[in-house]
Amino acid sequence: MRHDRLVLTLIWRELSAGLRSMRRRDLVWIVAGGGALLAYAMADIVIALQATSATLRQARMLWAVGLPGALLCLGGFAGSAIARLCLSRAFAPFLKALPLSLMERRRMAAAAASALGVPLAFTVAATVGLGCLVIAKPLAPAWGLGAAILFGAGFGAVAMLRLRSARDLVHADNTDPVSDPGARGPSLGAFDRSTPAWLSSWAWGLTAGRVRFSWRLAGAAILFGLAAVVAGSTSLVRHDAVPAAMAGLTGGLLVFMLSARFHPLGSPVLRTAPLGFVRAWLRLARLPLQLSVAFFLLPAGAALAAEPSAWAMPLASGFWLLALNGAYAVFAAYFMTAPFVAALSFLSAIAYASYETLEYGRTVLIGFAALVVFLWYQAQRRYRDG
């Protein structure tokens, strides 16, 4: 019996169950308010494109290198995220009873990833095609088709690599972190034993609290290390604190977003324990915050050495890093089981608030702060009431 549609069915059932579990008032607010904000943002984008249409049409590097590269990267990012989503369903523990081989589970995940990638490619094609129409770019439908092909190429390549490298997670031994002292790799015991103990190891799925070596982890460490070194060297050569300070802020935020995991907040085991939401939230954010600050210190030190008189620049960057990390931790706690949705929502809110500050000033940040407070209240209520 073929089970190719099983993963897609599971994702659809989870989505429909999540929508049914929401109150109608919340759905109305999301649809009406989100639709209004989306329409307003699209109108602003159309006006901005029309104002710079002549410049955009003549930017050859944008059309020859910039747009294709962005579409390939976007496709690769989406392919990695969706392949991971599909693999987590294909190797779900409750599917152990089914006599499915590793190849069959990969095929199920591939079928679901393909079905989810097709509408994304059509959306990208429609967006690029409409953008070309707005700026009066010749052959707008052809540009939309080319955008879909480039997005699909990046999506398919990364998703295929992710699916082919998937191991049989169902039959892997899932031992308790404390009961497996023989696990290999550096231990997080010095950072993860405070009450409640081993919470970060639980969030990261680490056996015995030990970090397992992987090429993805090594690649990320090398990439962030090179970025910090390049930014610090640039500031030292130019005697300008701005490049290193901005790199420290951006890189520190990315490190926090990539390492923060708040899905234990949805576990009945944690919610029924005598542990408050604030303490659990702080405990889950502690280790990602340490990693974020550790990355920030190198570029910040280079910025201070490059321009000692501009000491306020790295100090302000550190303050904004803590504020943005805290804001994303609230988004991640609200979307506790969907870090990709949390990151996308957070970056969209930041981008929209930054755009509106150009027109209305910093008073727009009050609206962003109100959104963070609202999400905090909703996450706390969900943790308390289920």
Side-chain angles (χ1 to χ4, degrees):
M1 181 178 178
R2 298 292 292 273
H3 300 84
D4 291 353
R5 298 179 58 185
L6 180 57
V7 170
L8 191 60
T9 302
L10 289 175
I11 295 176
W12 170 250
R13 293 293 176 85
E14 291 179 11
L15 178 60
S16 59
L19 292 176
R20 286 196 302 268
S21 65
M22 297 180 65
R23 295 180 300 177
R24 294 183 178 179
R25 182 177 63 183
D26 294 337
L27 286 175
V28 170
W29 274 107
I30 292 174
V31 174
L37 289 176
L38 180 61
Y40 180 71
M42 291 180 64
D44 278 353
I45 292 174
V46 168
I47 293 174
L49 288 176
Q50 289 178 342
T52 59
S53 59
T55 303
L56 291 176
R57 287 196 302 268
Q58 297 174 0
R60 296 182 178 179
M61 290 299 297
L62 172 65
W63 300 101
V65 179
L67 183 60
L71 289 171
L72 286 173
C73 293
L74 179 62
F77 182 74
S80 176
I82 290 181
R84 182 178 180 181
L85 172 68
C86 297
L87 285 172
S88 66
R89 272 56 178 181
F91 292 97
F94 61 85
L95 296 181
K96 286 184 178 180
L98 294 179
L100 297 174
S101 65
L102 175 60
M103 189 62 64
E104 288 175 321
R105 294 179 187 275
R106 286 177 175 173
R107 187 171 62 243
M108 286 163 33
S114 300
L116 295 175
V118 170
L120 289 179
F122 276 108
T123 302
V124 170
T127 302
V128 174
L130 290 175
C132 292
L133 286 176
V134 169
I135 65 174
K137 179 73 175 177
L139 302 176
W143 281 105
L145 179 61
I149 294 174
L150 289 172
F151 177 86
F155 183 96
V158 175
M160 184 180 299
L161 290 175
R162 191 69 180 267
L163 293 171
R164 288 177 62 89
S165 62
R167 296 177 293 107
D168 195 348
L169 304 179
V170 172
H171 300 94
D173 292 328
N174 293 322
T175 57
D176 182 76
V178 184
S179 62
D180 189 10
R184 298 179 179 178
S187 175
L188 297 178
F191 307 96
D192 203 21
R193 285 188 180 273
S194 58
T195 306
W198 304 107
L199 193 57
S200 294
S201 298
W202 177 15
W204 289 353
L206 300 180
T207 303
R210 297 183 180 274
V211 181
R212 295 186 298 267
F213 175 80
S214 66
W215 291 110
R216 183 175 62 179
L217 179 62
I222 294 174
L223 180 62
F224 280 102
L226 287 176
V229 170
V230 170
S233 302
T234 303
S235 290
L236 291 174
V237 170
R238 297 181 178 181
H239 300 286
D240 185 6
V242 175
M246 290 295 99
L249 172 60
T250 305
L253 179 59
L254 288 177
V255 168
F256 185 86
M257 293 175 64
L258 291 173
S259 59
R261 293 294 182 268
F262 286 83
H263 62 84
L265 293 176
S267 172
V269 176
L270 189 62
R271 291 194 292 108
T272 54
L275 183 67
F277 173 78
V278 176
R279 188 172 183 180
W281 179 79
L282 290 173
R283 186 66 179 82
L284 288 170
R286 177 183 174 182
L287 197 53
L289 183 60
Q290 291 175 344
L291 294 174
S292 175
V293 173
F295 174 85
F296 172 78
L297 290 179
L298 178 60
L304 187 61
E307 194 175 0
S309 60
W311 57 268
M313 175 69 68
L315 183 63
S317 298
F319 170 78
W320 280 110
L321 176 63
L322 295 177
L324 291 175
N325 284 347
Y328 176 73
V330 174
F331 275 79
Y334 179 78
F335 300 99
M336 58 184 68
T337 58
F340 175 74
V341 178
L344 183 61
S345 302
F346 174 74
L347 294 177
S348 300
I350 289 293
Y352 186 72
S354 301
Y355 173 75
E356 290 297 333
T357 54
L358 299 177
E359 184 174 356
Y360 299 106
R362 295 185 177 180
T363 54
V364 177
L365 298 178
I366 299 176
F368 179 77
L371 175 62
V372 173
V373 172
F374 173 75
L375 294 180
W376 169 269
Y377 170 75
Q378 293 294 331
Q380 187 176 23
R381 190 181 67 172
R382 184 184 302 175
Y383 178 82
R384 183 178 60 249
D385 302 332

